[in-house]
Amino acid sequence: MKHYPFILFYLFCNVFIYAFHGSFWVYVACFMAFSAVVVWGSFAIELGYFVNSITHKRTKIKEVALTFDDGPTEFTPKFLDLLQKHQVKATFFCIGKQIEKYPETFQRIIAEGHTIGNHTLSHSNSTGFLSASKMMAEIENCDKVMKTMGNIETDLYRPPFGVTNPNIAKAIRRTNKISIGWNVRSLDTITDNEKKIYQRITKNLKKGNIILLHDTSEKTYRVLVDLLVFLEDKKYSTFTVDSITNSKKK
């Protein structure tokens, strides 16, 4: 957790309560404000409120990372064909149960030199409400599937939905994972408008951006077709997330 903003906010609340003589509604207002900050911190992974996450790369060259969540799926082979055509390496944050459904595709991701990250066993909708022990089980069981199906291990972990909280932070520490976020969110699972998705990614693209995509639909595949052309036209190269973590280990 980022302690300094929390402490400053706590002091502000105390000053606010003192200034208004501690009335009931002032306490309610402060409680609501504090709750809003906590919720915001839970869903905004780039804030690092509960756990520090890598959200970009410090670099002087024009390079970005393409990351794909929630696969492998029936669409992933088309993504791999396209990436191979453009000679681009990406980072795939895979769900354990999806690996079990598409083991050959998972093995192809590895064989073609892409980077693998853990995205839990089941990507449960109740992720934000799981205990630390259950979150650890989600991460460790995904690791087991990856080892069985692809003979691969990874220290990269991306929280489902980008949600973090004290239990998730504890699970990440105990499983020795590195939390990976993003600073360009395509919202490709929320909107069907391919033009808006493309514009959201490219509008303010900067060196070192980590782009969040999903290899789960034809729609995102079509966006990727245009995005790769855009990157080539603008002279952007690509990097995989492990290039950041490996450099920090040296």
Side-chain angles (χ1 to χ4, degrees), residues 188-205:
D188 59 338
T189 58
I190 296 175
T191 178
D192 290 326
N193 190 316
E194 295 170 21
K195 185 177 180 180
K196 286 185 178 179
I197 296 170
Y198 174 81
Q199 289 177 339
R200 184 176 178 85
I201 298 169
T202 59
K203 186 177 180 181
N204 296 305
L205 199 66

Side-chain angles (χ1 to χ4, degrees), residues 16-195:
F16 188 76
I17 291 170
Y18 176 79
F20 287 89
H21 307 294
S23 70
F24 171 76
W25 291 112
V26 170
Y27 279 103
V28 170
C30 286
F31 174 77
M32 294 297 290
F34 176 75
S35 299
V37 169
V38 171
V39 171
W40 183 29
S42 297
F43 284 92
I45 195 169
E46 66 275 10
L47 295 180
Y49 192 81
F50 293 104
V51 60
N52 289 324
S53 298
I54 293 173
T55 59
H56 65 283
K57 180 180 182 179
R58 292 183 179 179
T59 179
K60 294 180 180 179
I61 65 175
K62 293 180 70 174
E63 58 177 345
V64 296
L66 298 175
T67 67
F68 298 93
D69 285 10
D70 297 358
T73 71
E74 62 190 285
F75 301 100
T76 306
K78 290 189 68 174
F79 283 77
L80 292 173
D81 290 343
L82 185 60
L83 293 170
Q84 189 175 57
K85 177 182 176 181
H86 288 264
Q87 297 183 320
V88 167
K89 303 302 181 188
T91 305
F92 288 82
F93 290 93
C94 299
I95 299 171
K97 289 187 175 181
Q98 289 298 120
I99 295 172
E100 292 175 330
K101 282 185 182 180
Y102 302 96
E104 295 86 1
T105 303
F106 179 65
Q107 290 158 8
R108 181 183 167 188
I109 295 171
I110 298 167
E112 294 185 1
H114 300 288
T115 295
I116 298 293
N118 183 313
H119 203 39
T120 72
L121 178 70
S122 65
H123 200 288
S124 170
N125 288 333
S126 59
T127 292
F129 302 97
L130 297 179
S131 65
S133 60
K134 288 184 177 179
M135 275 306 307
M136 286 178 62
E138 279 283 324
I139 296 170
E140 290 172 343
N141 286 332
C142 183
D143 279 341
K144 290 177 183 177
V145 172
M146 288 181 172
K147 184 67 175 176
T148 300
M149 298 295 183
N151 193 30
I152 193 170
E153 298 177 353
T154 180
D155 56 3
L156 306 178
Y157 170 73
R158 175 169 279 168
F161 315 108
V163 172
T164 58
N165 60 34
N167 285 337
I168 292 172
K170 188 180 294 183
I172 291 171
R173 289 195 301 271
R174 290 182 177 177
T175 53
N176 297 312
K177 297 298 183 188
I178 301 169
S179 179
I180 307 298
W182 57 80
N183 59 357
V184 177
R185 189 170 194 169
S186 66
L187 297 182
D188 59 338
T189 58
I190 296 175
T191 178
D192 290 326
N193 190 316
E194 295 170 21
K195 185 177 180 180

